[in-house]
Amino acid sequence: MLRYLFILDVAIAVLGASMVIGVGVSALLLGWYLDSAPEYRDQVLTLVKLTLVYLAATVAAGLAAWGLRRQRSWHWLAQAAL
């Protein structure tokens, strides 16, 4: 049972990391060109918030997978955080 949970945690961490990269680069590019198009200010803030949410999910999934792999007693707390 825990093996499937480990695989799920790793998959969520990898997908979350790819979302952090994609959304983060989009936020960076919109922020870079904010002077030429100030109407994008709200969209930049939304993208930054999304990047932080995906980063939190990625870190939680990574910690949960690492805790399962090392058989730590706190891995259930990381699963709950995820």
Side-chain angles (χ1 to χ4, degrees):
M1 175 65 179
L2 292 180
R3 170 172 279 192
Y4 297 118
L5 192 59
F6 175 75
I7 292 170
L8 179 67
D9 288 339
V10 170
I12 291 173
V14 169
L15 290 173
S18 66
M19 290 300 291
V20 166
I21 292 169
V23 176
V25 167
S26 298
L28 181 68
L29 289 175
L30 272 179
W32 185 267
Y33 291 108
L34 196 57
D35 293 335
S36 62
E39 64 270 8
Y40 292 141
R41 185 170 309 277
D42 292 334
Q43 292 177 359
V44 170
L45 293 176
T46 302
L47 286 176
V48 168
K49 289 176 190 176
L50 275 174
T51 303
L52 292 176
V53 168
Y54 284 131
L55 181 63
T58 302
V59 169
L63 284 174
W66 186 65
L68 276 172
R69 181 76 175 153
R70 298 291 181 181
Q71 297 177 350
R72 303 289 187 216
S73 61
W74 50 264
H75 72 86
W76 291 114
L77 292 174
Q79 293 293 331
L82 177 61

